Amino acid sequence: MTRLCICEICSCGRHRCPHRPTALYGKATKTNGLTEYTEKYPAYGGQYPPQSLKPKPVNLGDRGKMEGTTTFKTDFIPYKVNRHPGRQQVEYKPKPGDIDLGTTYNLTFNRHEVQPFLPSRPRERVQTSKMKLDTMPTYKDDFREWGNCRRELKKPDQTYFPPDTKFGGNTTFQDDFIPRGLAPRESYKPSGVPAVSETPFDGVTSNQLCYVPHVLEPRYVKPPEPYKPSSQPLQDLTTNRRDYQGLPGPLARSCKPDPVMMASDVPFQSSTEFKESFQEWPVSLPQLHKSLQYVSPTENMDMTTTSGTVFIPHDIQPFISSRPFSRSIKASAPFQGCTTMKEDFQPWVTKRRGIIKKPEEMQRASGRMDDLTTFKAHYTPHQLQPTLSFKPANAPMRTHVPQQGESMYTTEFTPKRISICPASYGSPLGFSFEDSDDRGHKFYRKLSSNERNNMSDMAKAIAVVS
């Protein structure tokens, strides 16, 4: 009796067993691979994703000729634009008469006769000889040209004669290596079946066998050094304190305004938590110290002083000022308030000078502005016509000629029998599930002819009863 896996029963090549990566934890008892889910919900084949109804982007070219005229080109006629006249410059006219080029320097300067400067350096004397100069250098004198003749070539004359026979294009590779048919290469890839050992796993390592634990000694801790203060006093005098002793000067005046307190006689009318919680207590007034009453002396006061007793009064005449008394002289004639300034400089009737403006190049219109533009004046309204759509009509192109249904496929196609893969069913036809191993392989047993007949009779009976 042969057992076949689902991979061997499949004829389309799309059914595989759910291989598991490892099988370390295998169960001793064999279990059935079918579950309640697989029994109630069998797999259905032939399900394809829905096709997209989006039309294909086909570029339909414009078959008509485009007219390049627009309403702007037909309605707006170009006008000739003239340039604004520029401001002409006034022609230069020289003033008549001669220019006086005399200066105070020419009038005051006295010319002196100056002799040319004589250099103190003596003239250069060139010592020449009457002998003829020999221009033969030592190089030409020592290295003279030799009369060398050109050597004849010993190379024989080789004339090329092209062969008369036809060139054989075969190479040594083409002659020695005869082409043979392609043969499938043998795969040296190892099989994916892991080699499982029957011996139990030994988890003892060399570290566990050879390692000897040792007792660790306490770590050496270096004792801290005691702090020794310096016997010398600290020199806290810096270079800034030493070099910059400071100059005597007044203190900087503050520009801050005086804090004037804004006080008011009106009592502050507000109730706060402090006033409500802390009530005013009756406080007695402090006792004031009464001063002693002044008692005037009964004896008379001696008003004499050292100056009054020692000073001798002298008879002195009053000081007479040498300045004469100011006597107001009043004239009976009326005051004449006329001066030379008022007589010579009479006020002129002046008018305010107007603003100097450049003459305007363009004359402004004096009348009322007309809102009529060139567009309104020249524009002729036309009746709008809808643009013609060049999109082809969505109608199928039909012809009265009957279609020729012959093609290479219909002429050369050989009909073949369509076979259904037995592994596509939940339970393969003609096979009975037997068991499954630890790696996920499902093994089926092929039914005999008698078992097949019995199963078909049972199916018919069930169909009649239902």
Side-chain angles (χ1 to χ4, degrees), residues 180-197:
R180 303 180 184 277
L182 296 175
R185 298 177 61 184
E186 184 180 357
S187 177
Y188 292 95
K189 183 178 180 181
S191 60
V193 180
V196 183
S197 178

Side-chain angles (χ1 to χ4, degrees), residues 131-370:
M131 300 297 293
K132 188 178 181 180
L133 180 63
D134 188 6
T135 58
M136 176 65 74
T138 55
Y139 184 83
K140 288 186 178 182
D141 193 9
D142 297 341
F143 298 93
R144 301 181 182 275
E145 295 181 359
W146 293 72
N148 295 331
C149 298
R150 187 174 183 181
R151 296 178 61 184
E152 296 180 358
L153 297 175
K154 300 298 183 180
K155 184 178 180 181
D157 297 337
Q158 294 182 1
T159 56
Y160 173 71
F161 299 98
D164 299 334
T165 59
K166 188 178 180 180
F167 174 70
N170 294 337
T171 59
T172 55
F173 183 83
Q174 294 177 356
D175 296 340
D176 298 341
F177 296 94
I178 302 171
R180 303 180 184 277
L182 296 175
R185 298 177 61 184
E186 184 180 357
S187 177
Y188 292 95
K189 183 178 180 181
S191 60
V193 180
V196 183
S197 178
E198 297 178 355
T199 58
F201 177 70
D202 188 7
V204 181
T205 61
S206 58
N207 189 4
Q208 297 177 359
L209 295 174
C210 303
Y211 179 74
V212 179
H214 298 278
V215 180
L216 295 177
E217 297 179 358
R219 187 177 179 182
Y220 173 73
V221 180
K222 184 178 180 181
E225 297 181 359
Y227 173 72
K228 296 180 181 179
S230 178
S231 60
Q232 300 295 332
L234 177 64
Q235 297 179 2
D236 57 348
L237 185 63
T238 60
T239 54
N240 192 346
R241 293 182 180 179
R242 183 185 62 192
D243 298 340
Y244 300 95
Q245 297 294 335
L247 299 177
L251 297 176
R253 188 177 180 182
S254 177
C255 299
K256 184 178 179 181
D258 298 336
V260 180
M261 182 177 179
M262 303 296 294
S264 178
D265 299 335
V266 181
F268 182 72
Q269 298 178 1
S270 63
S271 61
T272 59
E273 184 181 0
F274 183 82
K275 287 185 177 181
E276 294 176 357
S277 302
F278 300 94
Q279 300 296 333
E280 186 177 358
W281 292 74
V283 181
S284 59
L285 296 176
Q287 296 179 2
L288 298 177
H289 181 69
K290 295 182 180 180
S291 60
L292 300 176
Q293 188 177 2
Y294 174 73
V295 179
S296 60
T298 57
E299 298 179 358
N300 296 329
M301 183 176 180
D302 188 5
M303 302 294 293
T304 59
T305 60
T306 56
S307 177
T309 55
V310 179
F311 181 73
I312 301 172
H314 297 278
D315 295 334
I316 299 176
Q317 296 180 0
F319 177 74
I320 301 173
S321 176
S322 59
R323 181 179 180 182
F325 296 100
S326 59
R327 297 179 181 178
S328 60
I329 301 173
K330 296 183 179 180
S332 59
F335 177 71
Q336 297 179 359
C338 184
T339 60
T340 55
M341 178 75 181
K342 289 184 178 181
E343 292 178 357
D344 298 339
F345 297 93
Q346 298 294 334
W348 291 63
V349 179
T350 58
K351 296 182 179 179
R352 189 173 183 180
R353 190 175 181 181
I355 301 174
I356 300 174
K357 294 183 178 180
K358 294 183 180 180
E360 296 182 356
E361 297 179 357
M362 299 179 61
Q363 296 181 1
R364 296 183 180 180
S366 59
R368 187 177 180 183
M369 180 179 177
D370 192 4

Side-chain angles (χ1 to χ4, degrees), residues 122-135:
R123 295 183 63 184
E124 184 179 359
R125 296 179 180 181
V126 181
Q127 298 181 2
T128 58
S129 178
K130 298 180 180 180
M131 300 297 293
K132 188 178 181 180
L133 180 63
D134 188 6
T135 58

Side-chain angles (χ1 to χ4, degrees), residues 336-413:
Q336 297 179 359
C338 184
T339 60
T340 55
M341 178 75 181
K342 289 184 178 181
E343 292 178 357
D344 298 339
F345 297 93
Q346 298 294 334
W348 291 63
V349 179
T350 58
K351 296 182 179 179
R352 189 173 183 180
R353 190 175 181 181
I355 301 174
I356 300 174
K357 294 183 178 180
K358 294 183 180 180
E360 296 182 356
E361 297 179 357
M362 299 179 61
Q363 296 181 1
R364 296 183 180 180
S366 59
R368 187 177 180 183
M369 180 179 177
D370 192 4
D371 294 340
L372 185 62
T373 60
T374 54
F375 182 84
K376 293 182 180 180
H378 301 287
Y379 177 72
T380 305
H382 297 277
Q383 186 177 2
L384 296 177
Q385 296 180 359
T387 55
L388 298 177
S389 176
F390 293 95
K391 183 178 180 182
N394 192 10
M397 299 180 67
R398 297 178 181 179
T399 178
H400 300 290
V401 181
Q403 183 182 6
Q404 297 179 0
E406 296 181 358
S407 61
M408 296 177 61
Y409 181 80
T410 55
T411 55
E412 298 180 3
F413 177 71

